[in-house]
Amino acid sequence: MEITFEKSYLRELFYDGQTNDKQHWYQPQIVKKYIRVINILDSVDKPTDLFRYKSLHYEKLVGDKSGLESVRVNDQYRIEFKTSSKGEITICSITDLSNHYKK
């Protein structure tokens, strides 16, 4: 899949390993796992290929997050994204790195 980032802090986390935005500061082990999961997303051809990685718990979200999909970074954090197709290429647009249990 081709990866795009909807928010600049998500791009900074992936390419720089940190962000200049103090509101979106994450612990180093979360950033390391975030980068690993983004690399996995980049390596697959289509979202259904993510089912091979059981630890990611790939799922389509429902309710107020309908239309989004997610994979787990760890037990607490998940990456939310949208997929779309342009011909043979699947584009994965990363929308958020969220704390799954935070209200």
Side-chain angles (χ1 to χ4, degrees), residues 9-71:
Y9 82 90
L10 295 167
R11 184 180 303 103
E12 289 174 6
L13 279 176
F14 180 67
Y15 290 112
D16 301 334
Q18 61 185 2
T19 179
N20 294 326
D21 183 3
K22 299 292 183 196
Q23 182 181 4
H24 297 105
W25 185 87
Y26 297 94
Q27 295 179 349
Q29 66 268 22
I30 301 299
V31 174
K32 186 176 181 180
K33 289 181 179 182
Y34 169 77
I35 292 169
R36 180 184 66 83
V37 173
I38 295 293
N39 285 326
I40 291 172
L41 289 172
D42 189 37
S43 70
V44 298
D45 293 328
K46 55 189 180 285
T48 54
D49 292 342
L50 294 170
F51 286 119
R52 292 184 301 187
Y53 301 93
K54 300 285 186 205
S55 65
L56 295 181
H57 298 278
Y58 168 71
E59 62 183 343
K60 290 189 176 200
L61 301 178
V62 295
D64 61 339
K65 294 193 178 212
S66 182
L68 293 175
E69 301 162 66
S70 77
V71 289

Short mmCIF file of all heavy atoms in Angstrom, two decimals, residues 9-71:
data_model
loop_
_atom_site.label_atom_id
_atom_site.label_comp_id
_atom_site.label_asym_id
_atom_site.label_seq_id
_atom_site.Cartn_x
_atom_site.Cartn_y
_atom_site.Cartn_z
N TYR A 9 2.18 15.77 12.42
CA TYR A 9 2.88 15.09 13.52
C TYR A 9 3.03 13.59 13.26
O TYR A 9 4.02 12.97 13.69
CB TYR A 9 2.20 15.37 14.87
CG TYR A 9 1.00 14.51 15.20
CD1 TYR A 9 1.15 13.30 15.88
CD2 TYR A 9 -0.29 14.91 14.83
CE1 TYR A 9 0.05 12.52 16.19
CE2 TYR A 9 -1.39 14.14 15.15
CZ TYR A 9 -1.22 12.94 15.82
OH TYR A 9 -2.30 12.17 16.13
N LEU A 10 2.10 12.99 12.53
CA LEU A 10 2.22 11.56 12.20
C LEU A 10 3.38 11.33 11.25
O LEU A 10 4.12 10.34 11.38
CB LEU A 10 0.91 11.06 11.59
CG LEU A 10 -0.31 11.09 12.51
CD1 LEU A 10 -1.58 10.87 11.71
CD2 LEU A 10 -0.16 10.07 13.61
N ARG A 11 3.56 12.24 10.29
CA ARG A 11 4.69 12.15 9.35
C ARG A 11 6.02 12.34 10.10
O ARG A 11 6.97 11.61 9.89
CB ARG A 11 4.54 13.21 8.26
CG ARG A 11 5.60 13.15 7.19
CD ARG A 11 5.45 14.20 6.10
NE ARG A 11 4.14 14.13 5.44
CZ ARG A 11 3.12 14.95 5.67
NH1 ARG A 11 3.24 15.94 6.54
NH2 ARG A 11 1.98 14.81 5.03
N GLU A 12 6.06 13.33 11.00
CA GLU A 12 7.27 13.58 11.79
C GLU A 12 7.64 12.38 12.65
O GLU A 12 8.81 12.02 12.76
CB GLU A 12 7.08 14.81 12.68
CG GLU A 12 7.04 16.12 11.93
CD GLU A 12 6.72 17.29 12.84
OE1 GLU A 12 6.64 17.11 14.08
OE2 GLU A 12 6.53 18.40 12.31
N LEU A 13 6.64 11.76 13.29
CA LEU A 13 6.92 10.58 14.11
C LEU A 13 7.55 9.47 13.28
O LEU A 13 8.47 8.79 13.74
CB LEU A 13 5.64 10.07 14.76
CG LEU A 13 5.16 10.75 16.02
CD1 LEU A 13 3.82 10.17 16.46
CD2 LEU A 13 6.17 10.64 17.13
N PHE A 14 7.04 9.28 12.07
CA PHE A 14 7.55 8.19 11.24
C PHE A 14 8.95 8.49 10.70
O PHE A 14 9.84 7.66 10.79
CB PHE A 14 6.60 7.92 10.07
CG PHE A 14 7.07 6.80 9.18
CD1 PHE A 14 7.12 5.49 9.65
CD2 PHE A 14 7.47 7.05 7.89
CE1 PHE A 14 7.56 4.46 8.85
CE2 PHE A 14 7.91 6.02 7.07
CZ PHE A 14 7.95 4.73 7.55
N TYR A 15 9.16 9.68 10.16
CA TYR A 15 10.44 9.98 9.53
C TYR A 15 11.51 10.45 10.51
O TYR A 15 12.69 10.17 10.31
CB TYR A 15 10.26 11.02 8.42
CG TYR A 15 9.53 10.46 7.23
CD1 TYR A 15 8.25 10.88 6.90
CD2 TYR A 15 10.12 9.48 6.43
CE1 TYR A 15 7.58 10.35 5.81
CE2 TYR A 15 9.45 8.95 5.34
CZ TYR A 15 8.18 9.39 5.04
OH TYR A 15 7.52 8.86 3.97
N ASP A 16 11.13 11.17 11.57
CA ASP A 16 12.11 11.73 12.50
C ASP A 16 12.16 10.99 13.84
O ASP A 16 13.10 11.18 14.60
CB ASP A 16 11.80 13.21 12.78
CG ASP A 16 11.81 14.04 11.50
OD1 ASP A 16 12.49 13.66 10.53
OD2 ASP A 16 11.12 15.09 11.48
N GLY A 17 11.15 10.21 14.14
CA GLY A 17 11.11 9.50 15.41
C GLY A 17 10.65 10.37 16.57
O GLY A 17 10.65 9.93 17.71
N GLN A 18 10.28 11.59 16.28
CA GLN A 18 9.78 12.51 17.30
C GLN A 18 8.99 13.61 16.60
O GLN A 18 9.03 13.73 15.39
CB GLN A 18 10.91 13.12 18.10
CG GLN A 18 11.89 13.94 17.27
CD GLN A 18 13.07 14.43 18.09
OE1 GLN A 18 13.17 14.13 19.27
NE2 GLN A 18 13.95 15.17 17.47
N THR A 19 8.30 14.40 17.40
CA THR A 19 7.51 15.50 16.84
C THR A 19 7.82 16.79 17.58
O THR A 19 8.17 16.76 18.76
CB THR A 19 6.00 15.19 16.89
OG1 THR A 19 5.29 16.28 16.35
CG2 THR A 19 5.52 14.89 18.27
N ASN A 20 7.73 17.90 16.91
CA ASN A 20 7.95 19.20 17.53
C ASN A 20 6.73 19.66 18.32
O ASN A 20 6.81 20.57 19.13
CB ASN A 20 8.30 20.25 16.47
CG ASN A 20 9.63 19.96 15.81
OD1 ASN A 20 10.54 19.45 16.44
ND2 ASN A 20 9.73 20.26 14.53
N ASP A 21 5.60 19.04 18.09
CA ASP A 21 4.35 19.37 18.75
C ASP A 21 4.32 18.69 20.12
O ASP A 21 4.25 17.47 20.22
CB ASP A 21 3.18 18.90 17.88
CG ASP A 21 1.84 19.26 18.44
OD1 ASP A 21 1.78 19.92 19.50
OD2 ASP A 21 0.83 18.88 17.83
N LYS A 22 4.37 19.47 21.19
CA LYS A 22 4.39 18.91 22.56
C LYS A 22 3.10 18.17 22.91
O LYS A 22 3.10 17.29 23.74
CB LYS A 22 4.64 20.01 23.59
CG LYS A 22 5.95 20.72 23.41
CD LYS A 22 7.10 19.81 23.73
CE LYS A 22 8.40 20.60 23.61
NZ LYS A 22 9.56 19.76 23.54
N GLN A 23 2.01 18.52 22.25
CA GLN A 23 0.73 17.86 22.52
C GLN A 23 0.76 16.40 22.05
O GLN A 23 0.07 15.56 22.61
CB GLN A 23 -0.39 18.61 21.81
CG GLN A 23 -1.75 18.03 22.07
CD GLN A 23 -2.85 18.79 21.33
OE1 GLN A 23 -2.57 19.71 20.57
NE2 GLN A 23 -4.08 18.39 21.55
N HIS A 24 1.55 16.10 21.04
CA HIS A 24 1.61 14.75 20.48
C HIS A 24 2.95 14.09 20.77
O HIS A 24 3.60 13.54 19.91
CB HIS A 24 1.36 14.80 18.97
CG HIS A 24 -0.01 15.28 18.64
ND1 HIS A 24 -0.24 16.54 18.16
CD2 HIS A 24 -1.22 14.69 18.76
CE1 HIS A 24 -1.54 16.70 17.97
NE2 HIS A 24 -2.16 15.59 18.33
N TRP A 25 3.37 14.14 22.03
CA TRP A 25 4.60 13.48 22.44
C TRP A 25 4.26 12.07 22.91
O TRP A 25 3.30 11.87 23.66
CB TRP A 25 5.27 14.26 23.57
CG TRP A 25 6.60 13.68 23.93
CD1 TRP A 25 7.79 13.97 23.36
CD2 TRP A 25 6.86 12.70 24.93
NE1 TRP A 25 8.78 13.23 23.95
CE2 TRP A 25 8.23 12.43 24.91
CE3 TRP A 25 6.06 12.01 25.83
CZ2 TRP A 25 8.83 11.52 25.76
CZ3 TRP A 25 6.66 11.08 26.67
CH2 TRP A 25 8.03 10.86 26.62
N TYR A 26 5.06 11.10 22.45
CA TYR A 26 4.83 9.70 22.82
C TYR A 26 6.13 9.12 23.37
O TYR A 26 7.22 9.56 23.03
CB TYR A 26 4.38 8.88 21.61
CG TYR A 26 3.06 9.33 21.05
CD1 TYR A 26 3.01 10.24 20.00
CD2 TYR A 26 1.87 8.87 21.58
CE1 TYR A 26 1.80 10.67 19.49
CE2 TYR A 26 0.64 9.29 21.07
CZ TYR A 26 0.62 10.19 20.02
OH TYR A 26 -0.58 10.62 19.53
N GLN A 27 6.00 8.11 24.20
CA GLN A 27 7.17 7.43 24.76
C GLN A 27 7.94 6.75 23.64
O GLN A 27 7.35 6.31 22.64
CB GLN A 27 6.74 6.43 25.81
CG GLN A 27 6.11 7.07 27.01
CD GLN A 27 5.65 6.05 28.04
OE1 GLN A 27 5.62 4.85 27.78
NE2 GLN A 27 5.28 6.53 29.21
N PRO A 28 9.27 6.63 23.78
CA PRO A 28 10.11 6.06 22.71
C PRO A 28 9.68 4.67 22.25
O PRO A 28 9.74 4.37 21.06
CB PRO A 28 11.51 6.03 23.33
CG PRO A 28 11.48 7.09 24.37
CD PRO A 28 10.08 7.12 24.90
N GLN A 29 9.23 3.81 23.17
CA GLN A 29 8.83 2.46 22.75
C GLN A 29 7.56 2.50 21.91
O GLN A 29 7.39 1.67 21.01
CB GLN A 29 8.68 1.51 23.94
CG GLN A 29 7.57 1.81 24.90
CD GLN A 29 8.00 2.69 26.05
OE1 GLN A 29 8.99 3.40 25.97
NE2 GLN A 29 7.24 2.64 27.14
N ILE A 30 6.67 3.47 22.13
CA ILE A 30 5.46 3.62 21.31
C ILE A 30 5.86 4.09 19.92
O ILE A 30 5.34 3.58 18.92
CB ILE A 30 4.47 4.62 21.96
CG1 ILE A 30 4.05 4.16 23.35
CG2 ILE A 30 3.26 4.84 21.06
CD1 ILE A 30 3.36 2.83 23.39
N VAL A 31 6.78 5.04 19.84
CA VAL A 31 7.24 5.56 18.54
C VAL A 31 7.91 4.44 17.74
O VAL A 31 7.65 4.28 16.54
CB VAL A 31 8.19 6.76 18.72
CG1 VAL A 31 8.77 7.19 17.39
CG2 VAL A 31 7.47 7.91 19.40
N LYS A 32 8.72 3.63 18.40
CA LYS A 32 9.41 2.53 17.73
C LYS A 32 8.40 1.52 17.15
O LYS A 32 8.53 1.08 16.01
CB LYS A 32 10.34 1.84 18.73
CG LYS A 32 11.22 0.78 18.15
CD LYS A 32 12.16 0.24 19.22
CE LYS A 32 13.07 -0.81 18.65
NZ LYS A 32 13.98 -1.35 19.66
N LYS A 33 7.38 1.18 17.93
CA LYS A 33 6.36 0.25 17.45
C LYS A 33 5.49 0.89 16.36
O LYS A 33 5.08 0.22 15.43
CB LYS A 33 5.50 -0.24 18.61
CG LYS A 33 6.25 -1.19 19.53
CD LYS A 33 5.38 -1.68 20.65
CE LYS A 33 6.15 -2.64 21.54
NZ LYS A 33 5.31 -3.17 22.61
N TYR A 34 5.23 2.19 16.47
CA TYR A 34 4.48 2.92 15.44
C TYR A 34 5.21 2.83 14.11
O TYR A 34 4.60 2.51 13.08
CB TYR A 34 4.32 4.38 15.89
CG TYR A 34 3.81 5.32 14.82
CD1 TYR A 34 2.47 5.34 14.46
CD2 TYR A 34 4.67 6.21 14.19
CE1 TYR A 34 2.00 6.21 13.50
CE2 TYR A 34 4.21 7.08 13.22
CZ TYR A 34 2.88 7.07 12.88
OH TYR A 34 2.43 7.94 11.91
N ILE A 35 6.51 3.06 14.12
CA ILE A 35 7.32 2.98 12.89
C ILE A 35 7.28 1.56 12.33
O ILE A 35 7.13 1.37 11.12
CB ILE A 35 8.76 3.45 13.17
CG1 ILE A 35 8.77 4.96 13.48
CG2 ILE A 35 9.68 3.13 12.00
CD1 ILE A 35 10.08 5.48 14.01
N ARG A 36 7.38 0.56 13.19
CA ARG A 36 7.34 -0.83 12.75
C ARG A 36 6.01 -1.16 12.07
O ARG A 36 5.97 -1.78 11.01
CB ARG A 36 7.57 -1.78 13.94
CG ARG A 36 7.56 -3.26 13.57
CD ARG A 36 7.68 -4.15 14.78
NE ARG A 36 6.53 -4.06 15.67
CZ ARG A 36 5.39 -4.74 15.49
NH1 ARG A 36 5.25 -5.54 14.45
NH2 ARG A 36 4.40 -4.63 16.34
N VAL A 37 4.90 -0.70 12.66
CA VAL A 37 3.58 -0.99 12.10
C VAL A 37 3.38 -0.25 10.77
O VAL A 37 2.83 -0.81 9.82
CB VAL A 37 2.46 -0.66 13.11
CG1 VAL A 37 1.09 -0.79 12.48
CG2 VAL A 37 2.57 -1.59 14.33
N ILE A 38 3.84 0.99 10.68
CA ILE A 38 3.73 1.73 9.41
C ILE A 38 4.53 1.02 8.33
O ILE A 38 4.08 0.91 7.18
CB ILE A 38 4.21 3.19 9.57
CG1 ILE A 38 3.30 3.96 10.51
CG2 ILE A 38 4.28 3.89 8.21
CD1 ILE A 38 1.89 4.18 10.04
N ASN A 39 5.69 0.49 8.66
CA ASN A 39 6.48 -0.28 7.68
C ASN A 39 5.74 -1.53 7.23
O ASN A 39 5.81 -1.91 6.06
CB ASN A 39 7.86 -0.63 8.25
CG ASN A 39 8.79 0.56 8.26
OD1 ASN A 39 8.73 1.42 7.38
ND2 ASN A 39 9.66 0.62 9.25
N ILE A 40 5.02 -2.18 8.13
CA ILE A 40 4.21 -3.35 7.75
C ILE A 40 3.09 -2.91 6.81
O ILE A 40 2.84 -3.56 5.80
CB ILE A 40 3.65 -4.06 9.00
CG1 ILE A 40 4.77 -4.74 9.77
CG2 ILE A 40 2.58 -5.08 8.61
CD1 ILE A 40 4.36 -5.31 11.12
N LEU A 41 2.41 -1.81 7.14
CA LEU A 41 1.35 -1.29 6.26
C LEU A 41 1.90 -1.00 4.87
O LEU A 41 1.25 -1.27 3.87
CB LEU A 41 0.73 -0.02 6.85
CG LEU A 41 -0.14 -0.17 8.08
CD1 LEU A 41 -0.51 1.20 8.64
CD2 LEU A 41 -1.39 -0.96 7.77
N ASP A 42 3.10 -0.47 4.81
CA ASP A 42 3.73 -0.14 3.53
C ASP A 42 4.09 -1.40 2.74
O ASP A 42 4.11 -1.39 1.52
CB ASP A 42 4.98 0.71 3.78
CG ASP A 42 5.58 1.27 2.52
OD1 ASP A 42 4.81 1.64 1.60
OD2 ASP A 42 6.82 1.36 2.44
N SER A 43 4.35 -2.50 3.44
CA SER A 43 4.83 -3.71 2.77
C SER A 43 3.72 -4.57 2.17
O SER A 43 3.97 -5.41 1.32
CB SER A 43 5.66 -4.56 3.73
OG SER A 43 4.83 -5.13 4.72
N VAL A 44 2.47 -4.40 2.63
CA VAL A 44 1.38 -5.22 2.10
C VAL A 44 0.73 -4.55 0.90
O VAL A 44 0.84 -3.34 0.71
CB VAL A 44 0.31 -5.52 3.19
CG1 VAL A 44 0.92 -6.30 4.34
CG2 VAL A 44 -0.37 -4.27 3.68
N ASP A 45 0.04 -5.35 0.08
CA ASP A 45 -0.59 -4.84 -1.13
C ASP A 45 -2.00 -4.31 -0.89
O ASP A 45 -2.43 -3.36 -1.52
CB ASP A 45 -0.65 -5.94 -2.20
CG ASP A 45 0.74 -6.29 -2.71
OD1 ASP A 45 1.60 -5.41 -2.73
OD2 ASP A 45 0.94 -7.47 -3.06
N LYS A 46 -2.73 -4.96 0.01
CA LYS A 46 -4.12 -4.56 0.28
C LYS A 46 -4.43 -4.81 1.75
O LYS A 46 -3.75 -5.59 2.42
CB LYS A 46 -5.08 -5.32 -0.63
CG LYS A 46 -4.97 -6.82 -0.57
CD LYS A 46 -5.81 -7.46 -1.66
CE LYS A 46 -5.72 -8.95 -1.62
NZ LYS A 46 -4.51 -9.53 -2.13
N PRO A 47 -5.44 -4.12 2.28
CA PRO A 47 -5.74 -4.22 3.72
C PRO A 47 -6.01 -5.64 4.21
O PRO A 47 -5.65 -5.98 5.33
CB PRO A 47 -6.98 -3.35 3.90
CG PRO A 47 -6.96 -2.41 2.75
CD PRO A 47 -6.31 -3.15 1.62
N THR A 48 -6.62 -6.48 3.40
CA THR A 48 -6.92 -7.84 3.86
C THR A 48 -5.65 -8.65 4.12
O THR A 48 -5.70 -9.63 4.86
CB THR A 48 -7.81 -8.58 2.85
OG1 THR A 48 -7.20 -8.53 1.56
CG2 THR A 48 -9.20 -7.96 2.78
N ASP A 49 -4.53 -8.25 3.55
CA ASP A 49 -3.25 -8.92 3.84
C ASP A 49 -2.83 -8.73 5.30
O ASP A 49 -2.00 -9.47 5.81
CB ASP A 49 -2.14 -8.39 2.92
CG ASP A 49 -2.34 -8.78 1.47
OD1 ASP A 49 -3.13 -9.71 1.20
OD2 ASP A 49 -1.71 -8.15 0.60
N LEU A 50 -3.40 -7.73 5.97
CA LEU A 50 -3.04 -7.48 7.37
C LEU A 50 -3.55 -8.56 8.30
O LEU A 50 -3.07 -8.69 9.43
CB LEU A 50 -3.60 -6.12 7.80
CG LEU A 50 -2.98 -4.91 7.10
CD1 LEU A 50 -3.76 -3.66 7.42
CD2 LEU A 50 -1.52 -4.75 7.49
N PHE A 51 -4.50 -9.39 7.86
CA PHE A 51 -4.98 -10.49 8.69
C PHE A 51 -3.88 -11.52 8.96
O PHE A 51 -3.97 -12.28 9.92
CB PHE A 51 -6.19 -11.18 8.04
CG PHE A 51 -7.45 -10.37 8.12
CD1 PHE A 51 -8.09 -9.95 6.98
CD2 PHE A 51 -8.00 -10.03 9.35
CE1 PHE A 51 -9.27 -9.21 7.05
CE2 PHE A 51 -9.17 -9.29 9.45
CZ PHE A 51 -9.80 -8.87 8.29
N ARG A 52 -2.83 -11.54 8.14
CA ARG A 52 -1.70 -12.45 8.39
C ARG A 52 -0.95 -12.09 9.66
O ARG A 52 -0.30 -12.93 10.25
CB ARG A 52 -0.72 -12.41 7.21
CG ARG A 52 -1.27 -12.99 5.95
CD ARG A 52 -0.22 -13.01 4.89
NE ARG A 52 0.26 -11.64 4.65
CZ ARG A 52 1.09 -11.29 3.70
NH1 ARG A 52 1.59 -12.18 2.89
NH2 ARG A 52 1.45 -10.03 3.56
N TYR A 53 -1.04 -10.83 10.06
CA TYR A 53 -0.33 -10.36 11.25
C TYR A 53 -1.33 -10.31 12.41
O TYR A 53 -1.97 -9.30 12.65
CB TYR A 53 0.26 -8.96 11.00
CG TYR A 53 1.24 -8.93 9.85
CD1 TYR A 53 0.82 -8.61 8.57
CD2 TYR A 53 2.58 -9.21 10.05
CE1 TYR A 53 1.71 -8.57 7.51
CE2 TYR A 53 3.48 -9.18 9.00
CZ TYR A 53 3.04 -8.86 7.74
OH TYR A 53 3.92 -8.83 6.70
N LYS A 54 -1.44 -11.40 13.13
CA LYS A 54 -2.43 -11.52 14.20
C LYS A 54 -2.25 -10.45 15.29
O LYS A 54 -3.21 -9.96 15.85
CB LYS A 54 -2.36 -12.90 14.85
CG LYS A 54 -2.62 -14.04 13.89
CD LYS A 54 -4.07 -14.14 13.57
CE LYS A 54 -4.29 -15.38 12.73
NZ LYS A 54 -5.46 -15.30 11.92
N SER A 55 -1.00 -10.07 15.58
CA SER A 55 -0.74 -9.10 16.65
C SER A 55 -1.27 -7.71 16.32
O SER A 55 -1.46 -6.90 17.22
CB SER A 55 0.76 -9.02 16.94
OG SER A 55 1.45 -8.50 15.83
N LEU A 56 -1.55 -7.42 15.05
CA LEU A 56 -2.05 -6.11 14.68
C LEU A 56 -3.55 -5.94 14.95
O LEU A 56 -4.03 -4.83 15.06
CB LEU A 56 -1.78 -5.82 13.19
CG LEU A 56 -0.32 -5.71 12.78
CD1 LEU A 56 -0.22 -5.41 11.30
CD2 LEU A 56 0.39 -4.65 13.58
N HIS A 57 -4.28 -7.05 15.04
CA HIS A 57 -5.73 -7.01 15.28
C HIS A 57 -6.43 -6.06 14.30
O HIS A 57 -7.18 -5.17 14.70
CB HIS A 57 -6.05 -6.59 16.71
CG HIS A 57 -5.52 -7.54 17.74
ND1 HIS A 57 -6.18 -8.68 18.09
CD2 HIS A 57 -4.38 -7.52 18.47
CE1 HIS A 57 -5.49 -9.32 19.00
NE2 HIS A 57 -4.39 -8.63 19.25
N TYR A 58 -6.18 -6.27 13.01
CA TYR A 58 -6.78 -5.41 11.98
C TYR A 58 -8.29 -5.49 12.06
O TYR A 58 -8.86 -6.57 12.19
CB TYR A 58 -6.30 -5.85 10.60
CG TYR A 58 -7.07 -5.23 9.47
CD1 TYR A 58 -6.93 -3.88 9.18
CD2 TYR A 58 -7.96 -5.98 8.71
CE1 TYR A 58 -7.65 -3.30 8.15
CE2 TYR A 58 -8.68 -5.41 7.67
CZ TYR A 58 -8.53 -4.06 7.40
OH TYR A 58 -9.24 -3.49 6.40
N GLU A 59 -8.96 -4.31 12.01
CA GLU A 59 -10.41 -4.29 12.04
C GLU A 59 -10.93 -3.02 11.38
O GLU A 59 -10.25 -2.00 11.34
CB GLU A 59 -10.94 -4.37 13.47
CG GLU A 59 -10.52 -3.20 14.35
CD GLU A 59 -11.00 -3.34 15.78
OE1 GLU A 59 -11.90 -4.15 16.05
OE2 GLU A 59 -10.46 -2.62 16.63
N LYS A 60 -12.15 -3.11 10.86
CA LYS A 60 -12.88 -1.94 10.37
C LYS A 60 -13.67 -1.41 11.55
O LYS A 60 -14.33 -2.17 12.26
CB LYS A 60 -13.80 -2.30 9.21
CG LYS A 60 -13.02 -2.65 7.97
CD LYS A 60 -13.93 -2.78 6.79
CE LYS A 60 -13.06 -3.04 5.57
NZ LYS A 60 -13.74 -2.74 4.34
N LEU A 61 -13.60 -0.11 11.76
CA LEU A 61 -14.27 0.49 12.91
C LEU A 61 -15.74 0.78 12.61
O LEU A 61 -16.12 0.94 11.45
CB LEU A 61 -13.54 1.78 13.31
CG LEU A 61 -12.07 1.59 13.68
CD1 LEU A 61 -11.43 2.92 14.02
CD2 LEU A 61 -11.91 0.62 14.84
N VAL A 62 -16.52 0.81 13.65
CA VAL A 62 -17.96 1.06 13.52
C VAL A 62 -18.35 2.24 14.42
O VAL A 62 -17.55 2.75 15.18
CB VAL A 62 -18.79 -0.20 13.89
CG1 VAL A 62 -18.54 -1.32 12.92
CG2 VAL A 62 -18.49 -0.65 15.31
N GLY A 63 -19.59 2.63 14.34
CA GLY A 63 -20.08 3.72 15.18
C GLY A 63 -19.62 5.07 14.69
O GLY A 63 -19.66 5.35 13.49
N ASP A 64 -19.15 5.92 15.62
CA ASP A 64 -18.74 7.27 15.23
C ASP A 64 -17.46 7.28 14.41
O ASP A 64 -17.11 8.30 13.82
CB ASP A 64 -18.60 8.17 16.46
CG ASP A 64 -17.55 7.69 17.44
OD1 ASP A 64 -17.20 6.49 17.40
OD2 ASP A 64 -17.09 8.51 18.26
N LYS A 65 -16.75 6.17 14.35
CA LYS A 65 -15.53 6.07 13.54
C LYS A 65 -15.74 5.19 12.32
O LYS A 65 -14.80 4.64 11.76
CB LYS A 65 -14.37 5.55 14.39
CG LYS A 65 -14.00 6.54 15.48
CD LYS A 65 -12.70 6.20 16.11
CE LYS A 65 -12.38 7.27 17.14
NZ LYS A 65 -10.99 7.50 17.27
N SER A 66 -16.97 5.08 11.90
CA SER A 66 -17.31 4.29 10.73
C SER A 66 -16.58 4.83 9.51
O SER A 66 -16.46 6.04 9.32
CB SER A 66 -18.82 4.34 10.50
OG SER A 66 -19.16 3.55 9.40
N GLY A 67 -16.06 3.94 8.68
CA GLY A 67 -15.30 4.33 7.50
C GLY A 67 -13.80 4.28 7.74
O GLY A 67 -13.02 4.36 6.80
N LEU A 68 -13.40 4.14 9.00
CA LEU A 68 -11.98 4.02 9.34
C LEU A 68 -11.65 2.56 9.62
O LEU A 68 -12.51 1.75 9.93
CB LEU A 68 -11.65 4.85 10.58
CG LEU A 68 -11.74 6.36 10.46
CD1 LEU A 68 -11.51 7.01 11.82
CD2 LEU A 68 -10.75 6.88 9.44
N GLU A 69 -10.37 2.25 9.51
CA GLU A 69 -9.85 0.94 9.86
C GLU A 69 -8.75 1.15 10.89
O GLU A 69 -8.23 2.26 11.02
CB GLU A 69 -9.30 0.26 8.62
CG GLU A 69 -10.36 0.10 7.53
CD GLU A 69 -9.76 -0.18 6.17
OE1 GLU A 69 -9.16 -1.24 6.00
OE2 GLU A 69 -9.88 0.69 5.30
N SER A 70 -8.39 0.11 11.62
CA SER A 70 -7.34 0.29 12.61
C SER A 70 -6.49 -0.97 12.75
O SER A 70 -6.93 -2.08 12.45
CB SER A 70 -7.93 0.66 13.97
OG SER A 70 -8.49 -0.45 14.62
N VAL A 71 -5.27 -0.73 13.22
CA VAL A 71 -4.36 -1.80 13.63
C VAL A 71 -3.76 -1.38 14.96
O VAL A 71 -3.64 -0.20 15.25
CB VAL A 71 -3.24 -2.07 12.59
CG1 VAL A 71 -3.79 -2.72 11.35
CG2 VAL A 71 -2.49 -0.80 12.23
#
